[in-house]
Amino acid sequence: MALITNAIKGTQDTLPKESYKIQYVESAMRETAENFGFHEMRTPVFEHTELFQRGVGETTDVVQKEMYTFEDKGGRSITLRPEGTAGAVRAFLEHGLFNEGLPQKIYYLTSCYRYEKPQAGRLREHHQFGIECFGASDATADAEVISLAATMLRELGIDEGVELHLNSCGCRECRKDYHKELKAYFETKREELCPTCNDRLERNPMRILDCKVDHDRDCMKTAPKLSEYLNEESRAYFDQVLRCLDELGIPYEIDER
């Protein structure tokens, strides 16, 4: 009987005496997003597994280790959403929102599910606030998204001591050259890498930069820096984002890794 009267590991109940706190945070998030011209989108709690494999990336830990995937009664592979972006993009395409006025600015407050080790502030069922701006190619759109986040933190009173660190992944061509150099570098460090990162080396070397193992992080200190591989166009775009943030009075630090 104890089994059915206990919440599943990695989940938690929000009791009436605590729910007002979540309502306050969600209200501030919604109000800030809507003040910036974003509108709410809601998507199903489960999607076709292939959506996340492609949208999140087959080489990510989320797809390889953490998704709640099962086969439904029709023999289809279904996955509980591990994050909100993939479903939002699918809905944008399915409903032809690209035929409407652009950019399409949407936000979502959604529950997500990842099978990982439960810890403080990180449960197997968690809630995610996200914004997406479809159909905007100007650097001001990136600056607006960053400004929205900064405004939201300020509205919630948790901006004290918060630092904004920025870098750029560049364009596809930048990443292609960087990918090649990064793989060559980590090939020389293969014996020092954990088993997971050795697998990442073959699939996607950039995922090694996400590793939390201490000795792997030591290897990263002398790894090639992505900022050194930005082409002229990507560098100009990043500089424009920084100028927009300067005009908005948003402080930041450049992360050169």
Side-chain angles (χ1 to χ4, degrees), residues 175-185:
R175 291 193 296 274
K176 185 187 300 182
D177 294 337
Y178 180 64
H179 186 280
K180 185 187 303 182
E181 292 299 320
L182 197 63
K183 184 173 183 180
Y185 169 79

Side-chain angles (χ1 to χ4, degrees), residues 58-156:
E58 292 193 74
T59 62
T60 62
D61 286 348
V62 172
V63 170
Q64 290 187 342
K65 302 176 182 179
E66 299 173 2
M67 294 201 311
Y68 280 90
T69 299
F70 58 94
E71 189 174 284
D72 70 4
K73 293 183 179 180
R76 294 171 288 261
S77 181
I78 302 297
T79 295
L80 300 182
R81 60 181 171 226
E83 55 86 46
T85 297
V89 174
R90 191 266 310 148
F92 173 79
L93 295 173
E94 181 176 352
H95 298 284
L97 297 184
F98 47 82
N99 292 319
E100 301 181 11
L102 296 176
Q104 285 283 313
K105 299 161 64 173
I106 67 101
Y107 75 89
Y108 46 80
L109 272 164
T110 191
S111 56
C112 299
Y113 305 86
R114 297 187 187 184
Y115 190 85
E116 55 185 344
K117 183 179 179 181
Q119 50 190 296
R122 197 178 185 91
L123 299 175
R124 289 176 178 172
E125 180 187 46
H126 60 277
H127 296 81
Q128 182 183 88
F129 171 83
I131 60 174
E132 312 290 347
C133 186
F134 299 111
S137 58
D138 192 90
T140 56
D142 284 322
E144 180 181 39
V145 169
I146 295 169
S147 177
L148 190 156
T151 301
M152 186 175 300
L153 291 174
R154 186 170 62 249
E155 290 296 319
L156 290 170

Side-chain angles (χ1 to χ4, degrees), residues 152-200:
M152 186 175 300
L153 291 174
R154 186 170 62 249
E155 290 296 319
L156 290 170
I158 53 176
D159 56 325
E160 189 71 30
V162 175
E163 296 182 352
L164 170 62
H165 290 250
L166 298 176
N167 66 6
S168 171
C169 288
C171 65
R172 184 173 298 178
E173 291 304 313
C174 297
R175 291 193 296 274
K176 185 187 300 182
D177 294 337
Y178 180 64
H179 186 280
K180 185 187 303 182
E181 292 299 320
L182 197 63
K183 184 173 183 180
Y185 169 79
F186 281 120
E187 284 283 5
T188 67
K189 306 288 185 180
R190 185 182 285 273
E191 294 184 0
E192 302 175 39
L193 298 176
C194 68
T196 298
C197 284
N198 267 290
D199 181 59
R200 288 170 172 168

Side-chain angles (χ1 to χ4, degrees), residues 1 3 8 37 42 64 68 94 106-108 133 163 195 211 247-248 250 254:
M1 181 61 70
L3 181 64
I8 294 175
R42 300 189 185 193
Q64 290 187 342
Y68 280 90
E94 181 176 352
I106 67 101
Y107 75 89
Y108 46 80
C133 186
E163 296 182 352
C211 188
E247 291 174 4
L248 292 169
I250 298 176
I254 304 297

